[in-house]
Amino acid sequence: MIKVLVTGANGQLGQSLASLSKKFDGILIFADRNDLDINDRGSIKSSLLTNKPDYIINCAAYTAVDNAEKDKEEAFKINKDGLINLIEESEELQCRIIHISTDYVFDGKHSIPYREDDIINPQSVYGHSKADGEKALLAFAPSRSIIIRTSWLYSEFGHNFLKTMLRLGKEKGSLNVVNDQLGIPTYTHDLANAILQLISTNIHIDSEKNIFHFSNSGESNWYEFAKEIMRVAELNCQIHPIPTSSFPTLAQRPKFSILNSEKIENLLNIKIRPWQDALRECIDTIKKA
Ligand SMILES: NC(=O)c1ccc[n+]([C@@H]2O[C@H](COP(=O)([O-])OP(=O)(O)OC[C@H]3O[C@@H](n4cnc5c(N)ncnc54)[C@H](OP(=O)(O)O)[C@@H]3O)[C@@H](O)[C@H]2O)c1
C-alpha cells in the first residue's frame, strides 16, 4: 500500500488532506512541526527512517506574505533551505516529493492566465523564497519531484481571507476591499483532493514537465471575493472597492495571478469546479461546525 508523509500537517492544506484520509486508498501519515521540522535534519531523518514513505507532500511553509518582507531570513530558511533539507535527506529513500508553490512567483504583468512554463519573476520576499524552493527541487531532484502552484487558499482551518471576512462581516457595517488584483480563490479541500488523485495515478515524472497549476475555476479579485462571502454567509456588510494604492501593504502582490489549470485537469481527467461553488461548500462546513 502506498505510504504518504505530509509535512506541515497543522496548516490549512495539511488539515484538508487529513479530512480526506478515509477516502484515500493508501496510508497517510501526518507530521506537524513538532514531529518533523524541515529545518532540523535530525527530525527529518528519524521521521523518514520510521515511516519510509513513497511520497512526501510538503505543506510546511512560511506563508506570512507581508511579514516576510521584514523577516527575509526566516522565509528563505523555511521555503528554500527547509526544502533542500527534505530533498537531501530523502535522497537515499528516493521517495517522490509533491511540493506546493504559489501564484506569487509570477510578476503579474500577464493579461492571460499563467501556464506552467511561463517565466517566473517574483516581486516579493515570499514569492522569491518560494521561487527558490522550486528551483532547488528542479535542480536537485527533478526525477522525483512534482510542483503544484496554487492561489489564494482558504478553508475552514487556520487563518485566511475568508475567515477574516466572516469575522469582520459580523463586526462592521462596511469594509473597503481592493479590486485591482486579479486571481482565483481556491478551497484547500479541492486542492487536497487533486493531490491525492495525482498520487493515485502514480504518474510518470518527466523532469521537464513536473509543474502543475491548480486553482478553482473562474476569476476574481479580493473585492468580488469579499462580496460573495458576505452574500453567501448572509452578512449585512457593504463591501466597497478600492485600489491597491489606497491599501498599501509591505509586500507587493501581482496585479494579475490567474493560473491556467488545464494541464492538471487533462492529466486527472477532471473538471475543476468554479470558485463560487467551492466557497459555498466551505461556508456551509463552517456553519455546521
Ligand atoms: N495560503 C495561501 O493563500 C497560499 C497561496 C498559494 C500557495 N500557498 C502555498 O500552499 C502551501 C500550503 O499553504 P497553507 O495555507 O496550508 O499554509 P499554512 O496554513 O500557513 O501552513 C503551513 C504550515 O507549515 C508549518 N511549518 C512552518 N515552518 C515549518 C518547519 N520548519 N517545519 C515543519 N513545518 C513548518 C506551519 O507550522 P506552525 O503552525 O507551527 O507555524 C504550518 O502548520 C504552502 O506551501 C504555501 O506557500 C498558499
Short mmCIF file of all heavy atoms in Angstrom, two decimals, residues 226-282:
data_model
loop_
_atom_site.label_atom_id
_atom_site.label_comp_id
_atom_site.label_asym_id
_atom_site.label_seq_id
_atom_site.Cartn_x
_atom_site.Cartn_y
_atom_site.Cartn_z
N ALA A 226 -14.78 39.08 -1.46
CA ALA A 226 -15.39 39.53 -0.19
C ALA A 226 -16.90 39.69 -0.35
O ALA A 226 -17.68 39.30 0.53
CB ALA A 226 -14.75 40.85 0.24
N LYS A 227 -17.33 40.25 -1.51
CA LYS A 227 -18.77 40.45 -1.74
C LYS A 227 -19.51 39.12 -1.74
O LYS A 227 -20.59 38.96 -1.16
CB LYS A 227 -18.99 41.15 -3.10
CG LYS A 227 -19.38 42.59 -2.92
CD LYS A 227 -19.79 43.33 -4.17
CE LYS A 227 -20.09 42.54 -5.41
NZ LYS A 227 -20.49 43.33 -6.54
N GLU A 228 -18.91 38.13 -2.41
CA GLU A 228 -19.52 36.80 -2.50
C GLU A 228 -19.58 36.14 -1.11
O GLU A 228 -20.56 35.47 -0.77
CB GLU A 228 -18.73 35.94 -3.49
CG GLU A 228 -19.34 34.59 -3.82
CD GLU A 228 -20.68 34.65 -4.57
OE1 GLU A 228 -21.14 35.75 -4.93
OE2 GLU A 228 -21.28 33.57 -4.75
N ILE A 229 -18.55 36.35 -0.31
CA ILE A 229 -18.54 35.80 1.06
C ILE A 229 -19.72 36.37 1.85
O ILE A 229 -20.47 35.63 2.49
CB ILE A 229 -17.20 36.12 1.78
CG1 ILE A 229 -16.04 35.34 1.14
CG2 ILE A 229 -17.29 35.80 3.28
CD1 ILE A 229 -14.65 35.80 1.57
N MET A 230 -19.90 37.70 1.79
CA MET A 230 -20.99 38.33 2.54
C MET A 230 -22.35 37.83 2.04
O MET A 230 -23.26 37.59 2.83
CB MET A 230 -20.93 39.87 2.42
CG MET A 230 -19.66 40.48 2.96
SD MET A 230 -19.31 40.00 4.69
CE MET A 230 -17.56 40.34 4.79
N ARG A 231 -22.45 37.67 0.72
CA ARG A 231 -23.73 37.23 0.13
C ARG A 231 -24.06 35.80 0.60
O ARG A 231 -25.15 35.54 1.13
CB ARG A 231 -23.65 37.28 -1.40
CG ARG A 231 -24.99 37.15 -2.11
CD ARG A 231 -24.81 37.06 -3.62
NE ARG A 231 -24.20 35.81 -4.07
CZ ARG A 231 -24.82 34.63 -4.11
NH1 ARG A 231 -26.08 34.53 -3.75
NH2 ARG A 231 -24.19 33.55 -4.51
N VAL A 232 -23.09 34.91 0.47
CA VAL A 232 -23.34 33.50 0.80
C VAL A 232 -23.54 33.33 2.31
O VAL A 232 -24.41 32.56 2.75
CB VAL A 232 -22.17 32.60 0.29
CG1 VAL A 232 -22.36 31.16 0.73
CG2 VAL A 232 -22.05 32.69 -1.22
N ALA A 233 -22.77 34.07 3.09
CA ALA A 233 -22.88 33.93 4.56
C ALA A 233 -24.04 34.76 5.12
O ALA A 233 -24.27 34.74 6.34
CB ALA A 233 -21.57 34.34 5.22
N GLU A 234 -24.74 35.47 4.24
CA GLU A 234 -25.89 36.31 4.64
C GLU A 234 -25.50 37.31 5.72
O GLU A 234 -26.17 37.45 6.75
CB GLU A 234 -27.07 35.44 5.08
CG GLU A 234 -27.57 34.56 3.94
CD GLU A 234 -28.64 33.57 4.37
OE1 GLU A 234 -28.64 33.16 5.54
OE2 GLU A 234 -29.46 33.23 3.52
N LEU A 235 -24.37 37.99 5.49
CA LEU A 235 -23.92 39.02 6.43
C LEU A 235 -24.24 40.39 5.86
O LEU A 235 -24.04 40.64 4.66
CB LEU A 235 -22.41 38.89 6.67
CG LEU A 235 -21.99 37.65 7.45
CD1 LEU A 235 -20.47 37.48 7.43
CD2 LEU A 235 -22.49 37.71 8.89
N ASN A 236 -24.71 41.25 6.72
CA ASN A 236 -25.14 42.56 6.27
C ASN A 236 -23.99 43.57 6.35
O ASN A 236 -23.99 44.46 7.18
CB ASN A 236 -26.32 43.00 7.16
CG ASN A 236 -27.12 44.09 6.49
OD1 ASN A 236 -26.91 44.37 5.31
ND2 ASN A 236 -28.00 44.71 7.26
N CYS A 237 -23.01 43.37 5.47
CA CYS A 237 -21.84 44.24 5.49
C CYS A 237 -21.58 44.69 4.05
O CYS A 237 -21.42 43.86 3.15
CB CYS A 237 -20.65 43.45 6.04
SG CYS A 237 -19.10 44.34 6.01
N GLN A 238 -21.59 45.99 3.84
CA GLN A 238 -21.37 46.53 2.49
C GLN A 238 -19.88 46.48 2.15
O GLN A 238 -19.04 46.88 2.96
CB GLN A 238 -21.81 48.00 2.42
CG GLN A 238 -23.30 48.23 2.61
CD GLN A 238 -24.13 47.50 1.57
OE1 GLN A 238 -23.84 47.60 0.37
NE2 GLN A 238 -25.10 46.73 2.02
N ILE A 239 -19.57 45.99 0.94
CA ILE A 239 -18.17 45.94 0.52
C ILE A 239 -17.95 47.01 -0.55
O ILE A 239 -18.67 47.06 -1.55
CB ILE A 239 -17.81 44.54 -0.06
CG1 ILE A 239 -18.16 43.42 0.94
CG2 ILE A 239 -16.34 44.48 -0.44
CD1 ILE A 239 -17.36 43.42 2.23
N HIS A 240 -16.95 47.87 -0.32
CA HIS A 240 -16.66 48.94 -1.27
C HIS A 240 -15.32 48.67 -1.95
O HIS A 240 -14.33 48.35 -1.27
CB HIS A 240 -16.60 50.29 -0.56
CG HIS A 240 -17.87 50.62 0.17
ND1 HIS A 240 -19.07 50.85 -0.49
CD2 HIS A 240 -18.14 50.72 1.49
CE1 HIS A 240 -20.02 51.09 0.41
NE2 HIS A 240 -19.48 50.99 1.62
N PRO A 241 -15.27 48.84 -3.28
CA PRO A 241 -14.00 48.61 -3.99
C PRO A 241 -13.02 49.76 -3.80
O PRO A 241 -13.43 50.93 -3.86
CB PRO A 241 -14.43 48.53 -5.46
CG PRO A 241 -15.71 49.31 -5.55
CD PRO A 241 -16.38 49.23 -4.21
N ILE A 242 -11.76 49.43 -3.58
CA ILE A 242 -10.71 50.46 -3.52
C ILE A 242 -9.50 49.96 -4.31
O ILE A 242 -9.32 48.75 -4.47
CB ILE A 242 -10.27 50.79 -2.06
CG1 ILE A 242 -9.84 49.51 -1.31
CG2 ILE A 242 -11.33 51.55 -1.29
CD1 ILE A 242 -9.02 49.78 -0.05
N PRO A 243 -8.67 50.89 -4.79
CA PRO A 243 -7.45 50.45 -5.49
C PRO A 243 -6.37 50.03 -4.48
O PRO A 243 -6.40 50.48 -3.32
CB PRO A 243 -7.00 51.71 -6.26
CG PRO A 243 -7.58 52.85 -5.49
CD PRO A 243 -8.85 52.35 -4.82
N THR A 244 -5.44 49.22 -4.93
CA THR A 244 -4.33 48.77 -4.07
C THR A 244 -3.58 49.98 -3.49
O THR A 244 -3.13 49.94 -2.34
CB THR A 244 -3.35 47.89 -4.90
OG1 THR A 244 -4.08 46.76 -5.36
CG2 THR A 244 -2.17 47.42 -4.09
N SER A 245 -3.51 51.06 -4.27
CA SER A 245 -2.78 52.25 -3.80
C SER A 245 -3.40 52.84 -2.53
O SER A 245 -2.73 53.51 -1.77
CB SER A 245 -2.72 53.32 -4.89
OG SER A 245 -4.04 53.60 -5.33
N SER A 246 -4.69 52.56 -2.28
CA SER A 246 -5.34 53.06 -1.06
C SER A 246 -5.18 52.09 0.11
O SER A 246 -5.68 52.34 1.21
CB SER A 246 -6.84 53.27 -1.27
OG SER A 246 -7.05 54.14 -2.31
N PHE A 247 -4.59 50.92 -0.14
CA PHE A 247 -4.40 49.92 0.92
C PHE A 247 -2.98 49.38 0.82
O PHE A 247 -2.75 48.23 0.43
CB PHE A 247 -5.45 48.80 0.76
CG PHE A 247 -5.47 47.82 1.91
CD1 PHE A 247 -6.01 48.17 3.14
CD2 PHE A 247 -4.92 46.55 1.76
CE1 PHE A 247 -6.01 47.28 4.20
CE2 PHE A 247 -4.92 45.64 2.82
CZ PHE A 247 -5.47 46.00 4.04
N PRO A 248 -1.99 50.24 1.14
CA PRO A 248 -0.60 49.80 0.98
C PRO A 248 -0.24 48.66 1.93
O PRO A 248 -0.67 48.67 3.08
CB PRO A 248 0.23 51.05 1.29
CG PRO A 248 -0.71 52.04 1.86
CD PRO A 248 -2.11 51.58 1.69
N THR A 249 0.46 47.69 1.41
CA THR A 249 0.93 46.57 2.24
C THR A 249 2.45 46.47 2.09
O THR A 249 3.01 47.02 1.12
CB THR A 249 0.30 45.23 1.78
OG1 THR A 249 0.49 45.09 0.38
CG2 THR A 249 -1.17 45.15 2.11
N LEU A 250 3.09 45.77 3.02
CA LEU A 250 4.55 45.67 2.95
C LEU A 250 5.00 44.96 1.67
O LEU A 250 5.94 45.37 1.02
CB LEU A 250 5.07 44.90 4.17
CG LEU A 250 5.11 45.64 5.50
CD1 LEU A 250 5.58 44.71 6.60
CD2 LEU A 250 6.04 46.86 5.40
N ALA A 251 4.29 43.88 1.33
CA ALA A 251 4.69 43.10 0.16
C ALA A 251 3.94 43.56 -1.07
O ALA A 251 2.75 43.86 -1.01
CB ALA A 251 4.42 41.62 0.41
N GLN A 252 4.65 43.58 -2.19
CA GLN A 252 3.99 43.89 -3.46
C GLN A 252 3.37 42.60 -4.00
O GLN A 252 4.05 41.57 -4.09
CB GLN A 252 5.03 44.42 -4.44
CG GLN A 252 4.38 45.05 -5.66
CD GLN A 252 5.42 45.50 -6.67
OE1 GLN A 252 6.52 45.92 -6.30
NE2 GLN A 252 5.09 45.38 -7.94
N ARG A 253 2.09 42.67 -4.33
CA ARG A 253 1.41 41.49 -4.86
C ARG A 253 1.18 41.65 -6.35
O ARG A 253 0.97 42.77 -6.82
CB ARG A 253 0.08 41.29 -4.14
CG ARG A 253 0.26 40.82 -2.70
CD ARG A 253 -0.98 41.02 -1.87
NE ARG A 253 -0.90 40.33 -0.58
CZ ARG A 253 -0.23 40.79 0.48
NH1 ARG A 253 0.42 41.93 0.41
NH2 ARG A 253 -0.22 40.12 1.62
N PRO A 254 1.18 40.52 -7.09
CA PRO A 254 0.95 40.66 -8.54
C PRO A 254 -0.45 41.21 -8.83
O PRO A 254 -1.41 40.85 -8.15
CB PRO A 254 1.10 39.22 -9.06
CG PRO A 254 1.19 38.34 -7.88
CD PRO A 254 1.43 39.15 -6.67
N LYS A 255 -0.55 42.06 -9.83
CA LYS A 255 -1.85 42.63 -10.24
C LYS A 255 -2.73 41.55 -10.85
O LYS A 255 -3.95 41.65 -10.85
CB LYS A 255 -1.64 43.71 -11.31
CG LYS A 255 -1.08 44.99 -10.76
CD LYS A 255 -2.21 45.97 -10.49
CE LYS A 255 -1.72 47.25 -9.85
NZ LYS A 255 -2.69 47.89 -8.99
N PHE A 256 -2.07 40.57 -11.46
CA PHE A 256 -2.79 39.51 -12.17
C PHE A 256 -2.08 38.21 -11.88
O PHE A 256 -0.89 38.06 -12.20
CB PHE A 256 -2.74 39.82 -13.67
CG PHE A 256 -3.44 38.80 -14.54
CD1 PHE A 256 -4.71 39.04 -15.05
CD2 PHE A 256 -2.83 37.58 -14.86
CE1 PHE A 256 -5.36 38.10 -15.85
CE2 PHE A 256 -3.48 36.63 -15.65
CZ PHE A 256 -4.74 36.91 -16.15
N SER A 257 -2.78 37.27 -11.22
CA SER A 257 -2.09 36.00 -10.95
C SER A 257 -3.03 34.82 -11.19
O SER A 257 -3.01 33.84 -10.45
CB SER A 257 -1.51 35.98 -9.54
OG SER A 257 -2.52 36.03 -8.57
N ILE A 258 -3.85 34.96 -12.23
CA ILE A 258 -4.77 33.86 -12.56
C ILE A 258 -3.97 32.72 -13.18
O ILE A 258 -3.17 32.94 -14.09
CB ILE A 258 -5.88 34.37 -13.50
CG1 ILE A 258 -6.74 35.38 -12.74
CG2 ILE A 258 -6.72 33.22 -14.05
CD1 ILE A 258 -7.75 36.10 -13.58
N LEU A 259 -4.18 31.53 -12.64
CA LEU A 259 -3.45 30.35 -13.13
C LEU A 259 -4.32 29.55 -14.09
O LEU A 259 -5.53 29.39 -13.86
CB LEU A 259 -3.05 29.46 -11.94
CG LEU A 259 -2.16 30.10 -10.87
CD1 LEU A 259 -1.92 29.10 -9.72
CD2 LEU A 259 -0.82 30.56 -11.45
N ASN A 260 -3.70 29.03 -15.12
CA ASN A 260 -4.38 28.13 -16.05
C ASN A 260 -4.17 26.71 -15.53
O ASN A 260 -3.04 26.23 -15.44
CB ASN A 260 -3.76 28.31 -17.44
CG ASN A 260 -4.37 27.38 -18.47
OD1 ASN A 260 -4.65 26.23 -18.17
ND2 ASN A 260 -4.56 27.87 -19.67
N SER A 261 -5.26 26.03 -15.19
CA SER A 261 -5.14 24.70 -14.57
C SER A 261 -5.49 23.55 -15.53
O SER A 261 -5.74 22.43 -15.10
CB SER A 261 -6.06 24.60 -13.35
OG SER A 261 -5.77 25.59 -12.41
N GLU A 262 -5.47 23.85 -16.85
CA GLU A 262 -5.87 22.83 -17.83
C GLU A 262 -4.99 21.58 -17.79
O GLU A 262 -5.47 20.47 -17.98
CB GLU A 262 -5.77 23.40 -19.25
CG GLU A 262 -7.00 24.16 -19.68
CD GLU A 262 -6.77 24.89 -21.00
OE1 GLU A 262 -5.80 24.56 -21.72
OE2 GLU A 262 -7.57 25.79 -21.29
N LYS A 263 -3.70 21.78 -17.52
CA LYS A 263 -2.77 20.65 -17.59
C LYS A 263 -3.15 19.57 -16.56
O LYS A 263 -3.21 18.39 -16.88
CB LYS A 263 -1.35 21.17 -17.35
CG LYS A 263 -0.28 20.12 -17.50
CD LYS A 263 1.10 20.76 -17.32
CE LYS A 263 2.16 19.71 -17.11
NZ LYS A 263 3.44 20.32 -16.72
N ILE A 264 -3.44 20.00 -15.33
CA ILE A 264 -3.79 19.00 -14.30
C ILE A 264 -5.19 18.45 -14.55
O ILE A 264 -5.47 17.27 -14.30
CB ILE A 264 -3.62 19.56 -12.87
CG1 ILE A 264 -3.44 18.41 -11.88
CG2 ILE A 264 -4.76 20.44 -12.43
CD1 ILE A 264 -2.85 18.79 -10.54
N GLU A 265 -6.07 19.30 -15.12
CA GLU A 265 -7.42 18.80 -15.45
C GLU A 265 -7.32 17.68 -16.49
O GLU A 265 -8.00 16.65 -16.37
CB GLU A 265 -8.28 19.94 -16.03
CG GLU A 265 -8.81 20.91 -14.99
CD GLU A 265 -9.84 21.86 -15.58
OE1 GLU A 265 -9.62 22.37 -16.69
OE2 GLU A 265 -10.86 22.11 -14.92
N ASN A 266 -6.46 17.88 -17.49
CA ASN A 266 -6.32 16.86 -18.53
C ASN A 266 -5.68 15.60 -17.98
O ASN A 266 -6.12 14.48 -18.26
CB ASN A 266 -5.47 17.40 -19.69
CG ASN A 266 -6.22 18.47 -20.45
OD1 ASN A 266 -7.46 18.53 -20.40
ND2 ASN A 266 -5.51 19.35 -21.13
N LEU A 267 -4.66 15.77 -17.15
CA LEU A 267 -3.97 14.61 -16.59
C LEU A 267 -4.91 13.76 -15.73
O LEU A 267 -4.92 12.53 -15.83
CB LEU A 267 -2.77 15.07 -15.74
CG LEU A 267 -2.01 13.95 -15.06
CD1 LEU A 267 -1.07 13.28 -16.04
CD2 LEU A 267 -1.23 14.44 -13.85
N LEU A 268 -5.69 14.43 -14.89
CA LEU A 268 -6.54 13.70 -13.94
C LEU A 268 -7.93 13.43 -14.50
O LEU A 268 -8.74 12.75 -13.87
CB LEU A 268 -6.67 14.48 -12.62
CG LEU A 268 -5.38 14.74 -11.84
CD1 LEU A 268 -5.66 15.55 -10.60
CD2 LEU A 268 -4.69 13.42 -11.46
N ASN A 269 -8.17 13.99 -15.70
CA ASN A 269 -9.49 13.84 -16.32
C ASN A 269 -10.60 14.37 -15.38
O ASN A 269 -11.56 13.67 -15.09
CB ASN A 269 -9.71 12.37 -16.69
CG ASN A 269 -10.83 12.23 -17.69
OD1 ASN A 269 -11.20 13.21 -18.33
ND2 ASN A 269 -11.40 11.04 -17.78
N ILE A 270 -10.38 15.59 -14.92
CA ILE A 270 -11.36 16.22 -14.01
C ILE A 270 -11.74 17.59 -14.56
O ILE A 270 -11.04 18.15 -15.41
CB ILE A 270 -10.81 16.43 -12.58
CG1 ILE A 270 -9.48 17.22 -12.60
CG2 ILE A 270 -10.60 15.10 -11.87
CD1 ILE A 270 -9.00 17.72 -11.25
N LYS A 271 -12.86 18.11 -14.09
CA LYS A 271 -13.23 19.49 -14.38
C LYS A 271 -13.24 20.19 -13.02
O LYS A 271 -14.05 19.83 -12.15
CB LYS A 271 -14.63 19.51 -15.03
CG LYS A 271 -14.99 20.79 -15.68
CD LYS A 271 -14.52 20.87 -17.14
CE LYS A 271 -14.40 22.32 -17.57
NZ LYS A 271 -13.07 22.74 -18.00
N ILE A 272 -12.36 21.13 -12.82
CA ILE A 272 -12.28 21.80 -11.51
C ILE A 272 -13.48 22.73 -11.35
O ILE A 272 -13.84 23.47 -12.27
CB ILE A 272 -10.96 22.60 -11.38
CG1 ILE A 272 -9.75 21.67 -11.58
CG2 ILE A 272 -10.88 23.29 -10.03
CD1 ILE A 272 -8.40 22.38 -11.62
N ARG A 273 -14.12 22.68 -10.16
CA ARG A 273 -15.35 23.46 -10.02
C ARG A 273 -15.08 24.97 -9.84
O ARG A 273 -14.00 25.36 -9.36
CB ARG A 273 -16.19 22.93 -8.86
CG ARG A 273 -15.56 23.05 -7.50
CD ARG A 273 -16.50 22.53 -6.43
NE ARG A 273 -15.78 22.25 -5.20
CZ ARG A 273 -16.36 21.97 -4.06
NH1 ARG A 273 -17.68 21.92 -3.98
NH2 ARG A 273 -15.66 21.71 -2.98
N PRO A 274 -16.09 25.79 -10.18
CA PRO A 274 -15.94 27.23 -10.03
C PRO A 274 -15.68 27.62 -8.57
O PRO A 274 -16.19 26.97 -7.65
CB PRO A 274 -17.30 27.79 -10.48
CG PRO A 274 -17.90 26.73 -11.32
CD PRO A 274 -17.39 25.42 -10.78
N TRP A 275 -14.93 28.72 -8.36
CA TRP A 275 -14.57 29.11 -7.00
C TRP A 275 -15.81 29.42 -6.17
O TRP A 275 -15.82 29.17 -4.96
CB TRP A 275 -13.57 30.27 -7.02
CG TRP A 275 -14.06 31.59 -7.53
CD1 TRP A 275 -13.93 32.07 -8.80
CD2 TRP A 275 -14.72 32.62 -6.78
NE1 TRP A 275 -14.48 33.33 -8.89
CE2 TRP A 275 -14.97 33.69 -7.66
CE3 TRP A 275 -15.13 32.76 -5.46
CZ2 TRP A 275 -15.62 34.87 -7.26
CZ3 TRP A 275 -15.77 33.92 -5.06
CH2 TRP A 275 -16.01 34.96 -5.96
N GLN A 276 -16.87 29.91 -6.83
CA GLN A 276 -18.08 30.26 -6.06
C GLN A 276 -18.72 29.00 -5.46
O GLN A 276 -19.23 29.05 -4.33
CB GLN A 276 -19.12 30.95 -6.95
CG GLN A 276 -18.69 32.32 -7.49
CD GLN A 276 -18.01 32.24 -8.85
OE1 GLN A 276 -17.44 31.20 -9.21
NE2 GLN A 276 -18.06 33.30 -9.60
N ASP A 277 -18.70 27.88 -6.21
CA ASP A 277 -19.29 26.63 -5.70
C ASP A 277 -18.48 26.09 -4.52
O ASP A 277 -19.04 25.62 -3.51
CB ASP A 277 -19.33 25.55 -6.79
CG ASP A 277 -20.28 25.94 -7.92
OD1 ASP A 277 -20.94 26.98 -7.80
OD2 ASP A 277 -20.34 25.20 -8.93
N ALA A 278 -17.16 26.17 -4.66
CA ALA A 278 -16.28 25.68 -3.58
C ALA A 278 -16.47 26.55 -2.33
O ALA A 278 -16.53 26.04 -1.21
CB ALA A 278 -14.83 25.72 -4.05
N LEU A 279 -16.59 27.86 -2.54
CA LEU A 279 -16.77 28.78 -1.41
C LEU A 279 -18.05 28.45 -0.65
O LEU A 279 -18.06 28.42 0.59
CB LEU A 279 -16.82 30.23 -1.93
CG LEU A 279 -17.10 31.30 -0.88
CD1 LEU A 279 -15.99 31.37 0.16
CD2 LEU A 279 -17.30 32.67 -1.53
N ARG A 280 -19.12 28.18 -1.41
CA ARG A 280 -20.41 27.86 -0.76
C ARG A 280 -20.24 26.62 0.14
O ARG A 280 -20.70 26.59 1.27
CB ARG A 280 -21.48 27.60 -1.84
CG ARG A 280 -22.88 27.94 -1.37
CD ARG A 280 -23.89 27.90 -2.50
NE ARG A 280 -23.49 28.69 -3.64
CZ ARG A 280 -23.33 28.25 -4.89
NH1 ARG A 280 -23.52 26.99 -5.17
NH2 ARG A 280 -22.99 29.07 -5.86
N GLU A 281 -19.55 25.61 -0.39
CA GLU A 281 -19.36 24.40 0.42
C GLU A 281 -18.54 24.69 1.68
O GLU A 281 -18.86 24.20 2.77
CB GLU A 281 -18.67 23.31 -0.41
CG GLU A 281 -18.57 22.01 0.36
CD GLU A 281 -17.82 20.93 -0.39
OE1 GLU A 281 -18.10 20.73 -1.58
OE2 GLU A 281 -16.94 20.29 0.23
N CYS A 282 -17.52 25.51 1.54
CA CYS A 282 -16.67 25.81 2.71
C CYS A 282 -17.47 26.58 3.76
O CYS A 282 -17.38 26.28 4.96
CB CYS A 282 -15.43 26.59 2.27
SG CYS A 282 -14.30 26.91 3.63
#
